Amino acid sequence: MIKNKIKIINYFIVLIIVIMIISIFSGLKVKAIHTKRILLISSYNYSFPTFQNQIEGVKSQLNSSEVLIDVEFMDFKRFETETNLSNFYNSLKYKLEQLEKYELVIVTDDNALDFAMEYNEELFKDTPIVFLGINNHQKAVNASINPNITGVEECISMFDTIDIATKLNKGAKKIIALSDGTETSRSDLELYYTTKKEFQTYEFTDINLSEMTFEEFYGEIEQINKDDIVLLLSAYTDKLGNDKSFNESLELINESCQAPIYHLWEHGIGEGVLGGKVISHYEQGKRAGKIVNSVLNGESIKNYPLITEENNKYIFDVKKLEENNISMNLLPKNTILINEKISFYENNKKIVNRIIALFIFLSLLIIYLMTNIHIRKKHEKELLNKNEELNDTFQELAISQNELKRQYSKIHKYAYYDNLTGLTNRTSLKIKLRNLTQIKTDYLKQFAVIFLDLDNFKFVNDSYGHSIGDKVLKEIAKELIKLDLGNSSIYRLGGDEFVLILEDYQDTFDLNYKTDKLRKTLDRAIDIEGNKYFITASIGVAIYPQNGKNYSELLKNADAAMYKAKENGKNCSAIYDESINAKLNRNMEIRSELVNAFTYKEFFLNFQPQIDIESGRVYGFEALIRWINPKLGFVSPGEFIEVAEEMGRIVQIGNWVLKESCIFCKKINEKYENKLIISVNVSAVQLMQKDFLENIKNILEKTEVDPKLVAIEITETAVLKNFDLNRAKLEQIKSMGIKVSLDDFGKGYSSLYYLRNLPIDTLKIDKSFIDDIITNDNESTIKDLTESIILIAHKVGLKVIAEGVEMPMQLMKLKEYKCDFMQGYYVSKPIEEKLVCEFLKKFEENKGEYKIWN
Ligand code: C2E
Ligand code: MG
Ligand code: MG
């Protein structure tokens, strides 16, 4: 099945190939070309104006590649003689005998037809003859009787030409025909006069060259009125037999004639002839050519009868029309105009079109370029604007960048600098110490961290206001900056604390020299707004790496050393050493020993008398705890109270002290008429206990002590830990009748504000103030301060106790300052209970003399 299918397909393919080959070979078949020779006999010569148009008309109908036309000229216009005719005959006969027979003969104009008719049998037997240009109707009809002869009759439009001439030349009265003696002219002239009956109003006349010489002829023409009409029929030969070609003759006629010249043939129009309804020799040639072509292609000439109907056209010369002021509107439709004023455009259409195209192209190009330029300029402008905007933005950015920089430097300043003094701050110190401690070198470079704390600065602040305090700090900062301590940097930690880093650490000798220099720089009066302030500083030093390996260790130890300096009496410096560590170790021991101190009854009380300065009598006693431990020996409350507070044992201790003090109070007042006030120190931790008030109440009740004989001493640091709550508690204590004293005033964050706002009865001025009231300097700030404090305290209704009075001079001053009470070694150290009575006895005995005891 499949095989069969393949077979069929193969056959089909072979068939297609065969068809293709056949079609290709059939396409290649060569056509045999047979040249058809024809003879054209012209009555005239080559230059006769009708000839060219006639032959071109004929040729237009023939296939030039197939047809060869031989032309013989009779030249009968110029040589209308028997000799010429016989010569022509002989010549042609000779040629025809030599040549192959022509397939067809064309004869143009009357003389040639006459010749062909006369010698038809002899020269052109059985050869088809086609004629044209025959204006003798009869002759044409006679010729075409012969079945081998036919052609186109030349019918001149005599009537139509005269008719249009009269219409165009409205003012014409006369029509003058120009003729000569030629046969054609004679027959035309005859027709002319025949036509006259159609134009009755016009005078018909002629000037005949055959009756005159050319000169006479032109002379006659000159006489013609310019409004009249000239109809040129023929003017070749004058009476003397002189010949002129058509063109020569026309030129001279034209020169002589003022009137418009009409013609019945197309030649001459444009060269002097105005126009007319004219025979077109070309059209005639075409008509004859059509017959020739058909006969050559095998048609029988018999099928082509004589063509008699005219095919003439109105042809006019525009130039001549204008010369004769004839409107073109008068011309019939389809008139062919020659010499038409062709516009420059028409004349140079191609060039103009190209120029226009080029112009349009260039214009478009220019428009495109202009648009481009415009767009580019617009874009440039936009770019400029954008650029300006960008510049503005950049400027704004620059401004905002400056602003940012400003803000940054501000923030930087806030972050790393102290607002008040302009010194670098704690953060900067941290960074500095971190950098210094992280430097990796072969050996550890030592440096010193100096912790500087102003002594009693709080009092300046509180007494003279913060603005003065700030000014003092600024002055101190200035002094510190001025100070030359080698490669060093200064920081303010806050408050009255400053830190200096001496990177040029050499040895303790050098360090002591520098810390001394530092201390002495500050140990002088600072002048602010005319007032002098005396500020001293306590200095603590820690040395890297032995006293600390990092920021916190170094700062903590320098601070500890500074506290040691404070302990040592302020306005001095201390270098951190193991003793400070030893203190820490001791604290640890205290801590462990405190645990059982109570159980082993290691505590007891001492009482220190408080004296009424004015009366010189004993006001009361302050109960002060004492601890003697078998391992540690005597431990001062200054050492262990803080540890007890940390351990929470102070509550138990405090209650014990209170109870013991109350028992003592009861006892002593029973003896001394309920006049002695027993003051008990109360720790902040105690005060914070919820049951603190209850405890006091219980103790008072149990010991049956009159609350009025009991005072509690509380430090301001203790109150400040929870100011509002503690104040409320103190108020309740007061309401119970117990007196309240603010202890160690001036040691901590002393503020005169508390004097008003705390429910207290008495103010205990710290020993450090009392120490200073007898300095030699009369302008001592502390001295002024102490007096001020007393004054203010009195103003708010408080009593003042001066503690730590050791010298009579101090007492004198206190008396002068109207201080109410005093307490101190000058009168008595804290004494055991058993000695109290003895003291009281002796004190009574030595009235007015305080120094009685130690
Ligand atoms: P304080 O309440 O200011 O007690 C006054 C301190 O000054 C006492 O030291 C006293 O001995 C000492 N003193 C008095 N006159 C002079 C003097 O003229 N020269 C010198 N150099 N010192 C003088 P003490 O007894 O060592 O007490 C120290 C601190 O321990 C007390 O300061 C107080 O705050 C605290 N304290 C003492 N006993 C107790 C207590 O029973 N309970 C509580 N919570 N704290 C207590
Ligand atoms: Mg006290
Ligand atoms: Mg005190």
Side-chain angles (χ1 to χ4, degrees):
M1 195 61 175
I2 296 168
K3 270 186 178 180
N4 279 344
K5 269 190 176 177
I6 294 170
K7 261 185 179 179
I8 292 166
I9 291 168
N10 281 343
Y11 283 137
F12 188 69
I13 292 168
V14 169
L15 185 71
I16 289 172
I17 292 168
V18 169
I19 291 168
M20 280 172 74
I21 291 169
I22 289 168
S23 63
I24 289 165
F25 278 94
S26 68
L28 289 174
K29 208 163 64 181
V30 179
K31 249 187 175 178
I33 297 171
H34 167 69
T35 309
K36 292 159 185 169
R37 295 171 57 254
I38 57 175
L39 173 68
L40 190 148
I41 302 169
S42 165
S43 297
Y44 311 121
N45 62 3
Y46 180 82
S47 59
F48 195 77
T50 58
F51 172 72
Q52 285 296 336
N53 291 334
Q54 284 168 338
I55 194 163
E56 286 306 317
V58 171
K59 275 184 179 174
S60 72
Q61 301 302 308
L62 304 177
N63 185 343
S64 60
S65 60
E66 290 180 5
V67 180
L68 189 83
I69 304 174
D70 286 336
V71 181
E72 293 295 334
F73 295 103
M74 291 175 75
D75 206 0
F76 219 70
K77 206 61 135 182
R78 292 194 293 171
F79 307 102
E80 201 178 348
T81 59
E82 280 303 317
T83 315
N84 180 28
L85 191 62
S86 115
N87 286 344
F88 180 75
Y89 163 76
N90 290 330
S91 163
L92 186 64
K93 188 184 176 196
Y94 170 76
K95 287 179 190 172
L96 290 175
E97 280 167 5
Q98 306 303 316
L99 295 169
E100 211 176 298
K101 195 182 173 192
Y102 287 103
E103 286 188 39
L104 190 142
V105 175
I106 301 169
V107 287
T108 64
D109 297 294
D110 295 37
N111 302 110
L113 180 62
D114 292 344
F115 178 82
M117 293 291 289
E118 193 175 341
Y119 300 103
N120 186 24
E121 276 298 306
E122 186 189 345
L123 300 177
F124 313 114
K125 196 163 190 275
D126 302 329
T127 306
I129 297 170
V130 177
F131 61 80
L132 67 150
I134 307 303
N135 54 11
N136 187 321
H137 175 66
Q138 201 49 56
K139 195 185 276 180
V141 172
N142 290 342
S144 58
I145 291 167
N146 185 330
N148 243 1
I149 301 173
T150 190
V152 183
E153 194 184 322
E154 182 179 286
C155 305
I156 51 172
S157 300
M158 186 63 78
F159 172 81
D160 288 341
T161 301
I162 294 169
D163 183 54
I164 187 70
T166 54
K167 281 174 181 157
L168 297 181
N169 300 85
K170 291 264 161 58
K173 290 191 174 100
K174 213 173 175 184
I175 298 164
I176 303 108
L178 303 181
S179 67
D180 60 6
T182 54
E183 193 189 331
T184 319
S185 180
R186 282 196 299 273
S187 69
D188 291 342
L189 193 65
E190 198 183 317
L191 181 63
Y192 166 71
Y193 280 113
T194 316
T195 316
K196 188 193 166 185
K197 60 177 182 295
E198 306 283 342
F199 303 94
Q200 295 294 337
T201 52
Y202 292 90
E203 183 189 339
F204 272 57
T205 177
D206 69 286
I207 303 170
N208 202 325
L209 181 61
S210 63
E211 295 165 2
M212 53 189 86
T213 62
F214 273 109
E215 282 75 28
E216 288 162 348
F217 183 66
Y218 299 130
E220 287 283 324
I221 291 168
E222 274 176 17
Q223 301 306 311
I224 297 168
N225 193 316
K226 69 173 174 46
D227 296 328
D228 291 334
I229 296 160
V230 171
L231 177 65
L232 172 62
L233 299 177
S234 183
Y236 295 99
T237 313
D238 67 359
K239 72 169 181 184
L240 300 174
N242 293 325
D243 274 326
K244 282 192 195 296
S245 73
F246 175 80
N247 285 348
E248 275 177 326
S249 181
L250 178 62
E251 198 181 331
L252 290 164
I253 292 165
N254 199 36
E255 276 175 17
S256 318
C257 185
Q258 291 177 358
I261 303 163
Y262 290 81
H263 202 208
L264 300 167
W265 300 270
E266 67 182 333
H267 55 274
I269 302 172
E271 280 138 26
V273 174
L274 176 78
K277 188 174 184 185
V278 296
I279 289 164
S280 166
H281 292 102
Y282 181 81
E283 286 298 327
Q284 240 183 76
K286 260 170 81 176
R287 290 167 116 186
K290 243 180 202 169
I291 302 167
V292 171
N293 188 47
S294 302
V295 172
L296 287 176
N297 284 324
E299 289 267 345
S300 170
I301 193 166
K302 289 171 196 161
N303 297 339
Y304 295 93
L306 171 72
I307 297 170
T308 52
E309 68 272 20
E310 59 128 308
N311 186 30
N312 299 338
K313 300 249 165 26
Y314 285 100
I315 301 178
F316 279 89
D317 178 358
V318 175
K319 217 162 121 189
K320 277 279 160 192
L321 285 168
E322 278 177 4
E323 265 178 39
N324 291 282
N325 293 324
I326 298 165
S327 165
M328 282 198 280
N329 296 335
L330 300 170
L331 298 174
K333 265 187 186 173
N334 302 324
T335 298
I336 296 165
L337 295 170
I338 59 162
N339 267 340
E340 195 177 7
K341 255 193 194 163
I342 303 170
S343 65
F344 179 80
Y345 169 71
E346 286 292 334
N347 232 354
N348 304 283
K349 206 171 183 176
K350 265 189 178 176
I351 298 168
V352 170
N353 278 351
R354 276 176 196 171
I355 289 170
I356 288 171
L358 188 71
F359 178 77
I360 290 168
F361 171 74
L362 287 174
S363 300
L364 287 172
L365 190 73
I366 288 166
I367 290 167
Y368 170 76
L369 289 174
M370 295 284 278
T371 318
N372 253 4
I373 289 167
H374 178 72
I375 291 168
R376 210 193 64 212
K377 275 187 176 172
K378 204 176 139 190
H379 285 178
E380 268 176 9
K381 210 176 165 186
E382 277 174 13
L383 271 174
L384 266 171
N385 287 341
K386 285 265 153 60
N387 201 26
E388 273 173 27
E389 274 174 33
L390 267 176
N391 277 339
D392 288 351
T393 316
F394 279 135
Q395 270 178 12
E396 278 168 26
L397 272 174
I399 290 165
S400 54
Q401 213 174 358
N402 285 342
E403 180 62 19
L404 267 176
K405 274 185 189 167
R406 223 170 54 79
Q407 293 293 345
Y408 174 77
S409 72
K410 214 171 163 185
I411 290 165
H412 185 268
K413 224 173 159 188
Y414 274 123
Y416 300 103
Y417 290 85
D418 172 49
N419 211 18
L420 179 71
T421 59
L423 293 175
T424 39
N425 63 7
R426 187 186 285 270
T427 313
S428 299
L429 174 68
K430 255 187 201 175
I431 294 166
K432 180 74 177 176
L433 284 178
R434 198 195 304 140
N435 290 341
L436 284 175
T437 53
Q438 279 173 0
I439 293 171
K440 296 272 179 280
T441 48
D442 292 344
Y443 63 96
L444 284 174
K445 191 175 178 288
Q446 288 187 304
F447 61 87
V449 178
I450 296 177
F451 200 111
L452 186 148
D453 186 284
L454 301 182
D455 298 325
N456 306 316
F457 176 72
K458 284 288 165 200
F459 297 102
V460 178
N461 235 355
D462 295 339
S463 312
Y464 300 101
H466 280 272
S467 66
I468 295 290
D470 286 352
K471 282 173 186 166
V472 169
L473 286 172
K474 275 187 188 172
E475 284 303 311
I476 284 167
K478 273 186 201 165
E479 293 297 325
L480 290 174
I481 291 164
K482 269 194 263 169
L483 196 63
D484 180 19
L485 295 176
N487 185 8
S488 60
S489 44
I490 310 158
Y491 309 84
R492 181 176 174 232
L493 291 192
D496 56 354
E497 294 174 341
F498 296 86
V499 168
L500 287 93
I501 293 174
L502 306 185
E503 290 182 52
D504 290 341
Y505 175 80
Q506 289 163 11
D507 47 37
T508 44
F509 180 78
D510 178 62
L511 180 69
N512 284 335
Y513 164 74
K514 282 176 177 167
T515 50
D516 248 31
K517 192 174 168 186
L518 175 61
R519 207 174 41 75
K520 281 174 185 160
T521 305
L522 300 179
D523 189 9
R524 62 185 182 82
I526 292 171
D527 195 329
I528 289 161
E529 293 167 7
N531 294 319
K532 291 214 160 86
Y533 300 88
F534 286 85
I535 301 289
T536 58
S538 297
I539 292 167
V541 186
I543 297 158
Y544 175 82
Q546 55 265 45
N547 300 154
K549 298 235 176 338
N550 51 40
Y551 161 79
S552 48
E553 277 178 26
L554 284 164
L555 202 67
K556 191 187 93 197
N557 292 341
D559 188 24
M562 186 275 292
Y563 268 102
K564 196 172 175 211
K566 289 254 189 220
E567 267 176 31
N568 292 345
K570 300 180 180 171
N571 195 17
C572 63
S573 58
I575 300 177
Y576 180 83
D577 61 17
E578 284 311 305
S579 70
I580 293 168
N581 256 347
K583 197 190 166 193
L584 286 174
N585 292 338
R586 188 170 160 80
N587 274 356
M588 295 299 288
E589 283 177 333
I590 290 169
R591 189 175 277 266
S592 69
E593 292 304 312
L594 259 180
V595 178
N596 294 316
F598 227 92
T599 323
Y600 300 133
K601 296 191 176 12
E602 290 171 5
F603 295 117
F604 61 96
L605 291 182
N606 269 190
F607 298 95
Q608 187 176 30
Q610 294 174 330
I611 312 298
D612 185 321
I613 295 172
E614 205 187 346
S615 67
R617 299 194 60 164
V618 176
Y619 167 72
F621 290 88
E622 180 181 6
L624 295 158
I625 193 167
R626 296 291 175 258
W627 178 31
I628 296 176
N629 177 264
K631 193 179 169 191
L632 301 172
F634 176 78
V635 188
S636 87
E639 274 187 293
F640 73 83
I641 292 291
E642 209 178 314
V643 183
E645 282 177 341
E646 282 170 24
M647 292 170 76
R649 294 196 169 269
I650 193 69
V651 181
Q652 191 188 25
I653 295 170
N655 285 340
W656 178 82
V657 172
L658 191 62
K659 195 178 139 198
E660 290 301 309
S661 300
C662 285
I663 294 167
F664 170 73
C665 180
K666 180 83 177 159
K667 253 194 257 174
I668 198 82
N669 276 311
E670 275 170 359
K671 280 188 185 172
Y672 291 92
E673 300 163 346
N674 294 333
K675 280 179 189 164
L676 297 169
I677 311 293
I678 306 303
S679 299
V680 184
N681 291 288
V682 170
S683 143
V685 183
Q686 274 177 277
L687 195 64
M688 273 148 58
Q689 298 303 305
K690 280 181 186 167
D691 55 356
F692 179 65
L693 292 169
E694 222 170 302
N695 276 340
I696 295 181
K697 251 186 208 171
N698 287 341
I699 291 166
L700 287 175
E701 275 170 22
K702 273 185 186 166
T703 53
E704 295 172 338
V705 171
D706 181 0
K708 280 180 191 147
L709 299 172
V710 178
I712 62 157
E713 290 189 8
I714 186 115
T715 59
E716 47 177 352
T717 4
V719 180
L720 281 180
K721 281 185 179 162
N722 194 338
F723 185 80
D724 291 329
L725 187 71
N726 290 339
R727 193 177 67 164
K729 280 187 177 176
L730 292 176
E731 253 162 16
Q732 279 178 291
I733 291 167
K734 260 195 90 171
S735 67
M736 284 158 70
I738 299 170
K739 291 185 173 57
V740 178
S741 292
L742 194 65
D743 202 357
D744 298 349
F745 186 79
K747 200 174 172 182
Y749 303 100
S750 312
S751 168
L752 295 170
Y753 168 79
Y754 306 128
L755 304 186
R756 271 183 179 281
N757 293 285
L758 272 179
I760 51 173
D761 303 281
T762 320
L763 195 71
K764 286 190 80 176
I765 301 178
D766 190 68
K767 183 176 180 294
S768 56
F769 282 80
I770 310 306
D771 288 346
D772 285 343
I773 58 173
I774 51 156
T775 49
N776 289 330
D777 195 340
N778 286 332
E779 290 170 322
S780 164
T781 310
I782 300 293
K783 209 163 64 182
D784 294 348
L785 258 177
T786 312
E787 192 182 5
S788 307
I789 292 166
I790 295 166
L791 261 167
I792 294 164
H794 283 166
K795 269 199 178 151
V796 294
L798 301 177
K799 298 282 185 194
V800 181
I801 303 179
E803 56 181 354
V805 180
E806 292 176 343
M807 284 172 280
M809 278 290 281
Q810 289 171 327
L811 181 61
M812 273 172 66
K813 278 280 168 196
L814 290 166
K815 246 187 173 175
E816 191 185 315
Y817 297 159
K818 305 245 169 350
C819 184
D820 302 284
F821 311 106
M822 59 81 73
Q823 175 184 350
Y825 292 177
Y826 178 60
V827 172
S828 172
K829 280 188 176 175
I831 50 172
E832 287 179 56
E833 191 185 334
K834 60 184 179 190
L835 296 173
V836 169
C837 291
E838 195 185 337
F839 167 77
L840 285 169
K841 199 179 156 203
K842 280 197 177 177
F843 195 79
E844 284 296 312
E845 285 168 4
N846 291 280
K847 270 181 194 162
E849 198 50 59
Y850 293 105
K851 183 71 187 161
I852 49 152
W853 192 244
N854 296 307

